[in-house]
Amino acid sequence: MMALKTDYKDYIPPSGGRKYKITANSDGSSSVEDITQYQQVGDTWGAEDINQVNKLVNGAVYPNLLDNSDFTNLVNQRGEAVYDYLTGIGYGPDRWQLVEAKYTLASQTVTSTGSSHTYGSQLRQIIPLEKIKIGDTVTASISTESGILNGTAKLELKIDTSVSDLPYVIEQDWGGVKIGCIKENVCHVIVFLKENKSVKINWVKLEKGSVATPYVPKAFGDEFLECLRYFVGGVGIGSAGIVSGSTFRVLIPTPVPMRTAPSVTVKVADNVVYNGTFKALNTTVSNITRQRNGIHLHIGMAASGVNNYPGIAYGLQCDLSADL
């Protein structure tokens, strides 16, 4: 499970002993440099190595930087049984995106699709930069039908690099796992498939440091709350708002504050009822702002000349997406 250095050796100096170079500094002090040509040199043992080993001995479990990572019990607010990039579903289960790939929930399987594979077949998740930064050492782990695999890498910024060109952190005959930042504010963990390959996934983990610690799934409720920061589906039924001119101004409550102001897709427009009158909504959404207790927005409607009158959208259903 460890990814520490494994080539520790005692340094062996030449028969003439060690040699040092003393240099006078401008502040009156002296610097001592070891210039010995050793007969044997091994890995160095330092504080990082000691800390990592001690954490393993103590049974440490590092936090997983991924959301919705237990593929045996996924949060799936969009409600699809199969997500296929070729049919226009670029998103998979919550927090996961698909590129030239298909994901089937029942079999927990991601499959390569498409013919050109311009971008390579990917099941990927974007990692917010408040969780991770360029230069961090991170360890990725994945549990598949063939066992648990892990690998360590330093997170590097590779502007405008194709995902296909990113190196594997974990590589198998079906593909593997890649980690990369190809834009200044976008870091991906990618389950990357080789052409015409598939793999069944049990779980995926990304953690800071050079040690792969045990995977401990979150409770489903905790995972669900975290996912709600990024996507909330089918909300708005019975929302009270204000009819003003040709817009319906409404605050749609959300269970938790969303990560940022989301994009809003009206799935069911239906009507607004006000002053005993039914007026049809349309799907035009504007003035989207995030509040602590919900999302405030304006929806277009077939009405005019009415100002600041309370109404209720009984059948309204919206999807709110703040995916990175």
Side-chain angles (χ1 to χ4, degrees), residues 112-176:
S112 170
T113 62
S115 56
S116 64
H117 291 85
T118 304
Y119 305 104
S121 295
Q122 307 169 44
L123 176 68
R124 68 189 190 187
Q125 186 171 137
I126 298 175
I127 312 302
L129 290 183
E130 62 260 27
K131 291 185 176 181
I132 201 171
K133 65 181 185 298
I134 305 299
D136 283 347
T137 297
V138 292
T139 296
S141 303
I142 185 170
S143 172
T144 71
E145 51 200 327
S146 60
I148 298 173
L149 309 163
N150 54 73
T152 296
K154 186 175 182 179
L155 197 62
E156 297 179 337
L157 181 61
K158 296 180 184 250
I159 296 291
D160 295 329
T161 299
S162 168
V163 169
S164 301
D165 296 329
L166 289 174
Y168 283 101
V169 177
I170 300 166
E171 185 172 11
Q172 295 289 293
D173 60 355
W174 52 264

Side-chain angles (χ1 to χ4, degrees), residues 29-318:
S29 63
S30 298
S31 299
V32 179
E33 179 185 359
D34 186 351
I35 59 171
T36 307
Q37 296 296 313
Y38 288 94
Q39 295 179 9
Q40 175 177 280
V41 177
D43 285 334
T44 57
W45 174 262
E48 180 182 1
D49 304 273
I50 296 169
N51 290 336
Q52 300 286 24
V53 170
N54 286 348
K55 286 175 180 177
L56 281 177
V57 171
N58 292 335
V61 176
Y62 290 12
N64 191 354
L65 302 178
L66 299 176
D67 300 317
N68 205 23
S69 61
D70 182 2
F71 284 76
T72 69
N73 191 29
L74 283 172
V75 177
N76 184 29
Q77 292 188 78
R78 289 180 173 88
E80 302 289 340
V82 177
Y83 292 89
D84 190 342
Y85 178 81
L86 294 182
T87 62
I89 305 177
Y91 284 106
D94 286 58
R95 301 288 289 116
W96 293 97
Q97 299 175 348
L98 288 163
V99 177
E100 295 179 352
K102 178 173 69 175
Y103 182 76
T104 304
L105 270 81
S107 62
Q108 301 167 215
T109 302
V110 58
T111 304
S112 170
T113 62
S115 56
S116 64
H117 291 85
T118 304
Y119 305 104
S121 295
Q122 307 169 44
L123 176 68
R124 68 189 190 187
Q125 186 171 137
I126 298 175
I127 312 302
L129 290 183
E130 62 260 27
K131 291 185 176 181
I132 201 171
K133 65 181 185 298
I134 305 299
D136 283 347
T137 297
V138 292
T139 296
S141 303
I142 185 170
S143 172
T144 71
E145 51 200 327
S146 60
I148 298 173
L149 309 163
N150 54 73
T152 296
K154 186 175 182 179
L155 197 62
E156 297 179 337
L157 181 61
K158 296 180 184 250
I159 296 291
D160 295 329
T161 299
S162 168
V163 169
S164 301
D165 296 329
L166 289 174
Y168 283 101
V169 177
I170 300 166
E171 185 172 11
Q172 295 289 293
D173 60 355
W174 52 264
V177 177
K178 297 185 176 190
I179 304 171
C181 292
I182 56 178
K183 296 180 180 179
E184 289 188 1
N185 61 341
V186 177
C187 290
H188 287 102
V189 170
I190 305 153
V191 178
F192 195 88
L193 294 174
K194 297 176 182 178
E195 192 167 354
N196 299 319
K197 295 291 185 178
S198 65
V199 65
K200 178 182 178 181
I201 304 172
N202 298 316
W203 52 259
V204 184
K205 183 176 183 180
L206 181 73
E207 56 195 306
K208 289 185 179 180
S210 58
V211 174
T213 61
Y215 176 77
V216 177
K218 295 179 189 176
F220 183 84
D222 293 340
E223 201 77 88
F224 185 48
L225 285 174
E226 188 64 30
C227 289
L228 287 171
R229 295 183 64 233
Y230 299 88
F231 180 84
V232 185
V235 292
I237 297 174
S239 293
I242 299 295
V243 175
S244 184
S246 59
T247 63
F248 180 59
R249 302 176 181 181
V250 59
L251 176 71
I252 297 180
T254 55
V256 298
M258 299 196 75
R259 186 190 66 84
T260 188
S263 61
V264 179
T265 303
V266 178
K267 307 293 284 189
V268 178
D270 204 13
N271 297 294
V272 170
V273 180
Y274 68 97
N275 194 28
T277 302
F278 289 79
K279 292 293 182 181
L281 290 171
N282 59 42
T283 58
T284 303
V285 180
S286 60
N287 297 91
I288 303 167
T289 57
R290 180 185 64 155
Q291 309 294 331
R292 290 184 60 125
N293 59 337
I295 303 300
H296 186 266
L297 52 89
H298 296 179
I299 302 178
M301 57 176 291
S304 60
V306 179
N307 291 304
N308 300 323
Y309 206 97
I312 297 177
Y314 283 101
L316 176 66
Q317 292 187 44
C318 299

